[in-house]
Amino acid sequence: MHICNLARFGLTLTALLSASTAAARDDMTHEVCSPDTRTCFLLTTVGEIPTYRVTRDGKPVIAPSRLGFMLRGDGKFEHATALGQASFSEADERWEQPWGENRWVRDHYREMKVPIVELIGGKRRIELIARVFDHGVGFRFAFPDQPQLHDVQIDEELTEFNIAGTAEAWWIPAGEWNRYEYLYSRTPANQVGTAHSPISFRRDDGLHIAIHEAALVNYASFWLQRIDGQRFRTRLSPSSQPSKVRRAAPFETPWRTILIAEDAPGLYAASDMILSLNEPNKLGDVSWVKPLKYIGIWWAMHLDQASWHSGPKHGATTENTLKYIDFAAKHGFDAVLVEGWNDGWDGNWIGDHGRNFDFATAYPDFDMDRIAAHARKMGVAIMGHHETAGNSGRYAAQMDAAFDYYARHGIPAVKTGYVADAGGVLHRDKDGNDIWDWHDGQYQVRHHQAVVEAAAKRRISINAHEPVKDTGLRRTWPNMVSREGARGMEYQAWGDPPNPPEHEANLAFTRMLSGPMDYTPGIVSLVGKGGRRIPSTLAKQLANYVVIYSPVQMAADLPEHYEARPAAFDFIKRVPADWEVTRVLGGAIGDYAVFARQRRGGDDWYVGGVTDKAARDFTVDFAFLPAGKRYSATIWRDGAGGGIDGDPFAMAIETKTVTAATTWPVRMAAGGGFAIALTPAR
Ligand code: NOJ
Ligand code: CA
């Protein structure tokens, strides 16, 4: 086909003719469009280089962008290629999340598979698989087994994303020392450097585009390196090995994903495409994976009021842990996170690269048997903690014993941690030499998968800090419940600078497109280390429980701070961590975000709204409620004189009856927000 399709690539007829004299095969273009036909993915070759583009309503979203690989051995796979016959299929299925933002996810797409064949040399062949959804595209490469391409060593992947139309971008830098823990930059798209994904773009005409990946399994993560203008190319995270990725064919790369929506709420709504591109659950019965709300021996360390290491300030003592368990039981929390309970924190655990951590030996002042027995009696779980300091090799060697130890003590979830500079993931070669890898390279991607599988054997869920980015693997391994992978609340204790007021409105439409975040909300004291003020209102701390999704959701502040703020604590105690349905009621990246979510298996709803440093009026339209039913709605909102420049604790609480026909104007103060709990009226 299709001269006309090629013309839609923006090629002149002359260019087309000269290209096709150079390569007789350049006239072949294959196209697949979404079920609603508005979004299309087109694949052709230009100058015998595989080139794709994406359109919406016939207009370019991704302008012509090259595809290819740098392969070790036989060199670049890109030039002198031709396309083979395309084959097509489609699917429209609904699948159930065991836990999540929505119980049901619709997986609805049209798919095209196209062989890409070298015309020269070893005549190697790969296959491009594209799935086009109404609000996005996923494509990946399959490497079939062939004598000339069996031991596949990928030095670089050359997938480009050439953003069409002038756009702004929200992004964090990749390849820098602090992994994913950066403040979001908002720049013209043509001023991005090298960025992590998800990266979100807003075009001048309002169209929103977000680029990410799905099903990152046994491969290196990509960074997006800007080449020129608004043209980006994948740059795979580095490896200690000669090639960034080494795989035996046959295999498939992760999906490269492009979400397309009219606005920021649409981007969030479209992001379940990333989940759908992952394989279904491989763990069978996962009823043991339980969303939970937890408190923890945690914030005190970040305030420097307690220590992870042993000594007079040791936080994880038996006595302290028993107190936390009692507090959790009294207030209906499911679990208590305990950090700093195990051997290895003394001295410089970061500088020593965690070489002293022992994951199954408790400090002498931490009586695990007694604590586990008390927790069981009180109906509260312990959330375990494995800080590795990036020493994944040491952890991998101990993890079976470590998970057995936790399983023996009835521990259902473990927070892991990899505090080390990027490039500081340590393991050993077979001769015992130190090897250094990246937090998002192929080695560590495999490590996380091994951890999650070892944990699953013991019915333990994993919440990883300093992780690799989320690519929807929770669909396949539902015990991979949450992760960090962005600046969390800890930065409000000691970050320089702390997270600014726009942070949550940035996260909602960037980081959160990839999946749950263990943000650790709920600092109702609004003070960090040394008494420094947190740039947030009290009401916003509550709103974060609805805006920033995680199936393991922390009430991160100290128990005494909750006791001092009972009205705020009331909302934190009520809000669930698992949802039936999610609706994004409004938002603009980095400005504000308003979410409504229905409790999983319940008929109560929650609404959370956050704003940046600007005060903002938002009218909540309750049209998401079932028609004809009356709800009692209680709001926790910024009060008169509130805001980060006024009294951040000023909070008004009111209750009224609403129906699907009600609208309720709410004022968010500077750096503020609001939270609403809705229960059916009696
Ligand atoms: C960094 C994690 O993000 C934080 O939550 C944890 O307390 C420390 N590492 C220590 O493991
Ligand atoms: Ca961290």
Side-chain angles (χ1 to χ4, degrees), residues 179 181 294 297-299 301-302 308 337 339-340 345 349-350 357 385-389 415-419 464-466 484 486 488 490-491 494 518 520 554:
R179 310 166 306 264
E181 295 174 17
Y294 70 103
I297 300 184
W298 182 78
W299 184 242
M301 278 85 110
H302 290 274
W308 285 277
L337 164 72
E339 296 200 356
W345 292 88
W349 57 273
I350 300 180
F357 279 127
H385 185 232
H386 289 156
E387 174 57 63
T388 68
K415 170 176 169 180
T416 58
Y418 296 84
V419 173
H465 279 230
E466 300 77 40
E484 190 184 39
E490 59 186 1
Y491 281 81
W494 42 254
D518 187 33
T520 70
M554 188 174 197

Side-chain angles (χ1 to χ4, degrees), residues 178-181 196-197 216 221 223 237 387-388 390 392 415-423 425 438-441 444-445 447-448 462-471 480 482-488 490 511 514-518:
N178 204 354
R179 310 166 306 264
Y180 301 96
E181 295 174 17
H196 276 301
S197 75
L216 173 59
S221 305
W223 307 338
S237 174
E387 174 57 63
T388 68
S392 295
K415 170 176 169 180
T416 58
Y418 296 84
V419 173
D421 282 9
V425 165
W438 282 67
H439 281 76
D440 52 357
Q444 187 70 350
V445 165
H447 170 80
H448 284 294
I462 296 295
N463 166 22
H465 279 230
E466 300 77 40
V468 61
K469 66 187 170 187
D470 197 341
T471 57
M480 201 177 239
S482 196
R483 73 189 71 207
E484 190 184 39
R487 266 173 161 245
E490 59 186 1
R511 162 68 182 79
S514 71
M517 177 177 179
D518 187 33

Side-chain angles (χ1 to χ4, degrees), residues 287-362:
S287 54
W288 51 271
V289 180
K290 295 231 177 9
L292 48 87
K293 280 167 64 187
Y294 70 103
I295 59 168
I297 300 184
W298 182 78
W299 184 242
M301 278 85 110
H302 290 274
L303 295 179
D304 205 16
Q305 294 176 3
S307 69
W308 285 277
H309 59 79
S310 63
K313 283 192 354 187
H314 190 210
T317 62
T318 304
E319 198 196 353
N320 199 25
T321 312
L322 297 180
K323 266 201 258 164
Y324 269 75
I325 292 169
D326 291 345
F327 183 85
K330 179 170 170 202
H331 294 288
F333 288 93
D334 305 297
V336 174
L337 164 72
V338 188
E339 296 200 356
W341 66 276
N342 63 309
D343 251 7
W345 292 88
D346 294 310
N348 185 351
W349 57 273
I350 300 180
D352 292 343
H353 305 289
R355 289 180 214 261
N356 300 316
F357 279 127
D358 183 326
F359 301 103
T361 306

Side-chain angles (χ1 to χ4, degrees), residues 8-11 41-46 48-55 60-68 78 81 83 116 128 139 141 158-164 209 211 224 227-228 230-234 256 258:
R8 275 162 45 193
F9 263 83
L11 293 177
F41 176 96
L42 297 94
L43 181 68
T44 190
T45 52
V46 176
E48 296 185 335
I49 294 171
T51 302
Y52 79 98
R53 67 178 178 133
V54 175
T55 61
V61 176
I62 303 293
S65 299
R66 294 174 171 213
L67 302 169
E78 183 193 54
T81 59
L83 305 183
I116 307 175
L128 182 131
F139 65 90
F141 303 93
L158 305 173
T159 300
E160 288 184 358
F161 301 87
N162 191 0
I163 308 292
I209 304 166
I211 294 174
L224 278 175
I227 306 301
D228 53 35
Q230 298 190 147
R231 194 159 61 93
F232 294 82
R233 198 203 74 204
T234 49
R256 282 64 192 89
I258 303 160

Side-chain angles (χ1 to χ4, degrees), residues 61 167 172 249 258 283 339 361 367 394 494 498 551 562 576 598 609 611 677:
V61 176
I172 54 170
I258 303 160
L283 297 180
E339 296 200 356
T361 306
D367 182 343
R394 185 174 175 86
W494 42 254
Y562 288 123
Q598 181 190 4
T611 182

